[in-house]
Amino acid sequence: MDNKEFLILLLPALIFYSILGYLYKMIIRKNCRIKNTLFVSFACAMLLSAILCLLFRCSFSPGVLLIGVTGGIFLYAAVYLYLKSLTLGKKIISWVIFKMSLVVAVLISVFLWGENITSKQTIGIMLMIISVIFFGLDMRTRKKEDVD
Amino acid sequence: MWINIILVAMIANGIALASMKAVHQYGYDKFIPFFLFCMYTTSTLISRLSPEFKKPVFDKKEVFMGLALGVSVVAGMVFVTLALRFLPGCVVYSVVNGGAVVLVSIAAALIFREKYSIFGILGIISGVVSVFFLSLK
């Protein structure tokens, strides 16, 4: 199996991440209190993952606990600060910068774990970053047209 | 002020994404549900212990949005962590982060007949070409 076949695995993830992006916007539009909404969402996610643990009979591992706690701290900080910046600053720029977190994740994979990236994949990553910037410009253009 | 906030959010999100890769990197593949449980328990505790969380009175809309967010987050993370078993992190992160934008834009254009500027069209084209390049070895 090559990358093309494995990419199909990413389709459900893509769909759920798209829904997630839409929900973030709705939270701001509907004036939901960030702290309360995040608490409900994380509690719901905690319950769902507890059910998954029971279903797959997961055992305890101190290493996973450490990675999970670290991930949880950064995840909370990321989502909270992103929603906060949406209420404080320019939404479009915030969105584009937040999407650039893929660069941080790729850099960690490359420098910390020595992941090899082929030249074709590098072109792919660059094009994806350009694509996000284009979408940011598109949002700004359409917003200006709406105002006019 | 907000630019600093969003920059910290970007770095924090990158580290959170990379923690999923760490699970595979250190050979903990069979502990994915436990990893997710630890991650969300930590986030729940932080949001509960935060000083801003004084009045635990919830609106209906907050509960609904929170539940929808929780389900999407877990489902998305499960598939991402599964994909990280077979695909390099650079491919998974790029496709999930950028690809979601491209997918929503294409769906909006096809289903809701949403009109895009030249930048939006260029964004869709570069996003699709990017996925093609990322699928190559």
Side-chain angles (χ1 to χ4, degrees):
Chain A
M1 249 199 230
D2 65 4
N3 276 0
K4 278 174 204 145
E5 283 149 350
F6 283 128
L7 273 175
I8 296 166
L9 263 178
L10 279 177
L11 198 64
L14 257 179
I15 293 167
F16 285 112
Y17 269 76
S18 308
I19 297 170
L20 213 60
Y22 176 74
L23 288 171
Y24 284 144
K25 275 186 203 167
M26 292 301 287
I27 288 168
I28 303 299
R29 268 191 212 161
K30 290 196 178 277
N31 288 322
C32 296
R33 283 168 295 180
I34 296 172
K35 284 274 173 187
N36 287 9
T37 315
L38 284 187
F39 174 73
V40 177
S41 79
F42 286 131
C44 169
M46 184 181 71
L47 280 175
L48 286 174
S49 47
I51 293 167
L52 285 177
C53 274
L54 290 172
L55 282 175
F56 293 98
R57 292 160 194 250
C58 277
S59 49
F60 175 81
S61 159
V64 179
L65 178 73
L66 185 70
I67 300 170
V69 169
T70 313
I73 293 167
F74 283 105
L75 179 73
Y76 179 81
V79 179
Y80 176 74
L81 294 174
Y82 173 56
L83 290 173
K84 200 85 180 168
S85 79
L86 285 182
T87 56
L88 290 174
K90 291 172 184 169
K91 290 182 179 65
I92 297 165
I93 299 173
S94 295
W95 176 83
V96 172
I97 294 174
F98 192 69
K99 285 282 164 196
M100 290 301 152
S101 56
L102 76 94
V103 178
V104 178
V106 168
L107 288 176
I108 292 172
S109 291
V110 172
F111 291 109
L112 199 63
W113 296 308
E115 195 171 81
N116 289 320
I117 304 181
T118 63
S119 53
K120 287 167 193 163
Q121 287 169 340
T122 310
I123 295 171
I125 295 166
M126 298 304 275
L127 279 171
M128 196 55 93
I129 293 166
I130 291 168
S131 169
V132 171
I133 295 168
F134 273 139
F135 279 113
L137 289 170
D138 172 67
M139 282 188 225
R140 205 174 68 173
T141 311
R142 286 194 289 160
K143 203 177 173 186
K144 263 186 189 170
E145 281 170 6
D146 287 347
V147 171
D148 293 341
Chain B
M1 168 68 177
W2 68 272
I3 197 85
N4 294 335
I5 293 175
I6 193 62
L7 283 173
V8 176
M10 178 195 82
I11 294 165
N13 195 45
I15 297 171
L17 282 170
S19 70
M20 289 185 252
K21 173 83 182 163
V23 176
H24 299 290
Q25 205 62 35
Y26 299 118
Y28 296 122
D29 284 331
K30 58 178 182 174
F31 293 98
I32 291 172
F34 180 63
F35 159 72
L36 292 174
F37 177 71
C38 295
M39 194 177 201
Y40 294 121
T41 306
T42 308
S43 301
T44 309
L45 286 175
I46 298 172
S47 58
R48 185 65 188 91
L49 296 173
S50 153
E52 279 182 47
F53 191 89
K54 282 173 192 159
K55 231 183 174 183
V57 181
F58 297 98
D59 257 16
K60 254 187 193 171
K61 62 181 178 185
E62 286 168 358
V63 174
F64 177 76
M65 296 304 281
L67 289 175
L69 207 64
V71 173
S72 313
V73 160
V74 171
M77 285 258 189
V78 166
F79 286 109
V80 168
T81 32
L82 277 177
L84 280 166
R85 284 172 84 163
F86 308 103
L87 289 164
C90 63
V91 174
V92 175
Y93 301 135
S94 306
V95 172
V96 167
N97 255 310
V101 185
V102 179
L103 189 75
V104 168
S105 307
I106 293 173
L110 294 175
I111 302 165
F112 304 111
R113 305 269 166 215
E114 196 167 318
K115 297 259 188 290
Y116 289 99
S117 71
I118 185 71
F119 295 118
I121 295 162
L122 286 172
I124 292 174
I125 294 168
S126 53
V128 172
V129 177
S130 154
V131 174
F132 169 74
F133 272 102
L134 287 168
S135 69
L136 300 172
K137 277 194 173 171

